Amino acid sequence: MSIRYDLKTGEATSTIYSLIKNGKYRDAIDILNYQVQINQKSRAGLSLLAYCYYSVQDFVNASDYYEQLSNMYPEQEQYKLYFAQSLYKCGLNTEAMKICSQIETPSLQFKVIQLQAAIKYAEDDINGCVEYIEKSPTDDASTEMNKACILFKEKKFERALEKFKKAKQTIGNRADISYNIAVCYYQLKQYDYSLRHIADIIEKGIKENPELSVGMQTDGIEVASVGNTLVLHESCLVEAFNLKAAIQFNLKNMNNAREALTDMPPRTEAELDPITLHNIAVMNMDEEPSSGFEKLQFLIQQNSFPFETFANLCFLYVKFGFYSLVADVLAENSHLTFKHLTPYEYEFMEAKIMQQTSPEEAYRKLEEMGVKQIDTLRKLTKEVQDVRKSSKEEAISRALKEYDENLELYIPILMAQASIYWDMQNYTAIEKLFRKSFEFCNDHDVWRLNAGHVLFMQENTKYKKAIEFYEPIVKKNYDNILNISPIVLANLCVTYVMSSLNEEAEELMRKIEREEDHAAMDNPERKFYHLCIVNLVIGTLYCAKGNYEFGISRVMKSLEPYQKKLGTDTWYYTKRCFLALFENMSKHLVLLKDSFVGEIIQFLTHCEMYGKDVKANVEMPMDPQPMHPGRNTVAYEARYLKWLLFEIIEY
């Protein structure tokens, strides 16, 4: 039986206030909804109900009840103020400003001005925001905070940081101020300092509010949603974990980034704020692309959403090859296109869309963009050289930062040009393109990695040169070798083998094996595919050279033990080798010993046994014709390959 039906006469008021005092707003809402149904004009009931909805961050319902109170009691203008605040929280800024203009009570004017300043800030109207702040008392602590926020919006992060620090000294160690300081350090790319302040917020939140269940989801403990309470809002835990996830994402520590999101207080998906929803979508895109796209599409349809959402949706469409979808999004949301995309981003997006129908025109457009960036980089190179003569560290740091930012804009243009030639398999043209950019990009990891790939694809003549590009990348991350892409390690091993550097190849493989063993001890449930993929690529190489017996033997050995090594990626390389072998067998170009055929049959039987729950192919998100789940398994494909072999050998 619900709590609202168990109350005795006269107990409702004390019970409701007791629940509110203890932060049990949902229980209070349950009782109040029942009470309001009995007396629909109860001012106390409506007022408390609106307050409870506001406290659980349900601003839509809060605004409905405050609007009702404003109409019923127009002389009580505090209800208009609360109504305006609720509208602002819903992202209805124009409507909120309209209500603010109707409030005339002198005692409420300071709060009205603060709300109007916040609305203008949310609309990126800095001048309008400053006008309202200047009407506020200069001795008020929040005025100093507002000025710091304006400096932040103007991208004057150092000055904003100083003001936030000053506010912290005046007001005290409040979670929201610590968060603002952490964000400033984040924008200045001083991640260590930012993480320290984040750690302080989390530690304080756990100590003062253990009921928020921080970290329990990551530990695998099932806990109920804590809801969007006022306590959660004031703790800034959600904001702190989102910022921590963003830092780890920028540092390429994807597992740590995802862990930060699961560490935050548990809430249902319907209760998630837009920033958390956006971060979950982006950081899990490789594992759950369909779900990620749904979240991002949902967000851009709302009144307000994180600024990066629109650009991220468009670029992720490009990454996954959905060029018609990105074209539709840009066309249908022109009001968002020019607000959320820089001219550079829009031009780049246009070129990528154009690449599908007119690669020559796309290349020309990218070339124009590249020339502009090269000119900028040359000017900045001279500026850096001039500043270094002055020996002013701050000026040198600023000039280098500007150079690096512009280099990061040039790299995607260069790679997009290279991708056009890559699709044509014109690796010589890509090599020439990379030589032109050597002056600026030779120390950039992305450039070096792709230069290595281009040389690798030209095989025998360029293997030794490819080593020169792959090796520094691997040595740079040698102590954390499992953070390197398996295909980079595999390609380096192949170049060693093909350059008769077998000892180096074996040492690298031993290093990978040791690291996988250590990692498996720490996380026994996780699968590690690095060494497996290295062996698969080497096996594939021998198959490509026609030495099928050795190549296939290497492939089969690499998947042992099957329960640890059999996965979607490893099966992809495996089945390609077997299909190539079966094609040559069917043409009578390859003959195998009966004993070796028996080994293949046994191997495919093991794959069938252990591959029942392993997907054979990565399903593309939003595919209009999804694969049949029974056929998209390693077990099904292994059984099919075994049948093909029986047909070929006429078993």
Side-chain angles (χ1 to χ4, degrees), residues 80-86 88-89 96-97 100 103 109-121 132:
K80 289 183 180 178
L81 175 62
Y82 302 149
F83 179 35
Q85 287 175 332
S86 301
Y88 161 66
K89 291 288 189 179
M97 283 296 283
C100 285
I103 302 171
Q109 286 308 301
F110 177 54
K111 289 185 177 179
V112 171
I113 289 168
Q114 283 187 312
L115 179 56
Q116 288 172 317
I119 292 167
K120 290 296 179 183
Y121 186 85
Y132 285 111

Side-chain angles (χ1 to χ4, degrees), residues 429-542:
I430 304 175
E431 190 178 346
K432 288 179 182 176
L433 185 67
F434 279 11
R435 279 179 186 161
K436 289 180 185 177
S437 58
F438 180 85
E439 176 187 353
F440 303 104
C441 307
N442 66 308
D443 289 328
H444 198 285
D445 282 350
V446 171
W447 184 89
R448 295 188 69 83
L449 176 63
N450 285 285
H453 289 335
V454 170
L455 293 166
F456 180 85
M457 292 304 292
Q458 294 177 67
E459 299 186 347
N460 297 336
T461 57
K462 301 291 175 71
Y463 278 135
K464 285 189 177 179
K465 286 187 179 179
I467 291 173
E468 294 174 17
F469 289 94
Y470 284 137
E471 228 174 26
I473 296 169
V474 172
K475 286 181 177 178
K476 185 178 177 181
N477 299 280
Y478 200 69
D479 293 336
N480 297 295
I481 204 162
L482 298 185
N483 289 340
I484 303 171
S485 168
I487 202 65
V488 174
L489 297 171
N491 285 0
L492 180 57
C493 279
V494 167
T495 55
Y496 280 148
V497 171
M498 299 308 294
S499 303
S500 301
L501 299 170
N502 294 338
E503 183 57 41
E504 284 81 351
E506 288 174 14
E507 176 55 37
L508 181 59
M509 292 171 73
R510 283 195 293 267
K511 170 68 175 175
I512 298 167
E513 187 174 11
R514 287 195 301 270
E515 291 298 318
E516 284 192 350
D517 289 343
H518 290 150
M521 289 172 66
D522 296 334
N523 193 348
E525 299 301 316
R526 188 179 165 194
K527 292 182 178 182
F528 297 94
Y529 296 122
H530 284 65
L531 185 61
C532 177
I533 289 176
V534 170
N535 279 310
L536 283 170
V537 171
I538 293 172
T540 303
L541 174 70
Y542 279 99

Side-chain angles (χ1 to χ4, degrees), residues 17 32 41-49 69 73 79:
Y17 277 104
L32 285 164
K41 293 188 178 180
S42 168
R43 178 181 170 183
L46 291 169
S47 180
L48 287 169
L49 191 54
L69 286 161
Y73 305 99
Y79 291 133

